Amino acid sequence: MELLIFADSLAFHGPAGPLPADDPRLWPNIAAAALGARVELAAGFGWTARDAWWALTGDPRVWAALPRADVLVLAVGSMDTLPSPLPTYLREGLRYLRPDRVRRLARRTYLAAQPTLARISGGRPVALPPRLTVRYLADCVRAVRAIRPGLPVIGVVPSVHRADAYAQVHTGRAAGERAVRAWAAATPGVTLLDLPELVGDHVRGGHGNPDGMHWGWAAHQRVGEAVAGLAGGVTTQAGASETGAR
């Protein structure tokens, strides 16, 4: 079995910081180990559903993994719900500023202002509006199934945070959850993993990374086991459907 996973930094960030993708304590690898499977992870800091779409359409490593995949895991959508006081193109564009001292000053200024701006704006706008989150998730599923009809898909209910970097504001999450649940309910073959149910107490209780967003190892273990359970179930169902169709 092979899992093709698109994810944000929740997939490779532990209690003390980011780690190499093959660290066995990370949830994708816990899931793969439980299934006796391989995992191909496409992920990045702050990735939204739009980044997953860009990776699917633009990363040749993903193209190579797609024919082997038994389950597609779209573990994106959590970062979509975060406050984004600056439009994404401006926020992401800070890295391109030159000279270096101007870039560093602009970044420090923005990060210092971000909590206040998130609080003043009531957490809006978000990094990616819910309608666009589900549009890109739907685009990913349609594109993959054009090549791999019937491939099982696991999506996620957006996670929670208590991050001081956003003044602990997360007013956009509820709308994001409603949109993702409605999309999954209307899309055959999509199963949702409820991240808040799995990691909510862990994050809100301060048991994860000090940044208030990323998880400790207990949460990674819980999520990895849950993904393995869902993946095992959906592949069994897919196999039964194929047998019945013959």
Side-chain angles (χ1 to χ4, degrees):
M1 177 184 288
E2 183 156 331
L3 305 176
L4 174 57
I5 300 176
F6 295 88
D8 48 42
S9 56
L10 295 174
F12 61 84
H13 208 290
L19 292 158
D22 62 351
D23 191 296
R25 298 169 294 179
L26 296 171
W27 71 257
N29 300 318
I30 291 170
L35 293 164
R38 296 179 55 193
V39 61
E40 184 71 34
L41 176 66
F45 289 104
W47 269 26
T48 65
R50 178 167 52 197
D51 293 289
W53 170 248
W54 286 341
L56 176 62
T57 56
D59 188 339
R61 294 172 302 172
V62 171
W63 306 343
L66 185 55
R68 303 189 304 267
D70 296 289
V71 181
L72 171 66
V73 183
L74 293 173
V76 288
S78 296
M79 302 303 166
D80 307 36
T81 68
L82 295 177
S84 183
L86 279 184
T88 300
Y89 68 91
L90 290 177
R91 176 168 45 82
E92 294 293 321
L94 293 177
R95 72 181 76 181
Y96 299 110
L97 290 176
R98 293 291 183 273
D100 289 348
R101 65 179 181 277
V102 173
R103 184 187 70 253
R104 288 192 290 266
L105 176 61
R107 181 168 175 78
R108 283 198 304 269
T109 301
Y110 176 69
L111 290 178
Q114 182 176 263
T116 300
L117 294 174
R119 186 167 50 247
I120 291 172
S121 68
R124 295 179 176 81
V126 293
L128 195 66
R131 61 180 177 80
L132 291 181
T133 295
V134 298
R135 169 192 154 185
Y136 285 112
L137 291 174
D139 286 349
C140 287
V141 172
R142 277 195 298 269
V144 166
R145 287 183 173 165
I147 301 169
R148 298 288 309 281
L151 185 70
V153 177
I154 297 173
V156 299
V157 176
S159 188
V160 299
H161 79 78
R162 59 189 293 274
D164 290 336
Y166 297 97
Q168 301 195 25
V169 174
H170 206 181
T171 50
R173 202 200 71 79
E177 176 174 347
R178 288 193 298 271
V180 168
R181 286 191 182 277
W183 164 74
T187 308
V190 173
T191 304
L192 283 185
L193 182 74
D194 193 333
L195 289 180
E197 179 69 23
L198 291 167
V199 306
D201 291 343
H202 175 91
V203 173
R204 296 188 188 100
H207 305 300
N209 190 287
D211 66 10
M213 182 175 301
H214 297 95
W215 308 334
W217 297 127
H220 275 277
Q221 185 71 34
R222 199 171 299 128
V223 172
E225 291 172 354
V227 170
L230 289 181
V234 296
T235 52
T236 299
Q237 292 172 8
S241 297
E242 289 179 7
T243 301
R246 292 193 186 105

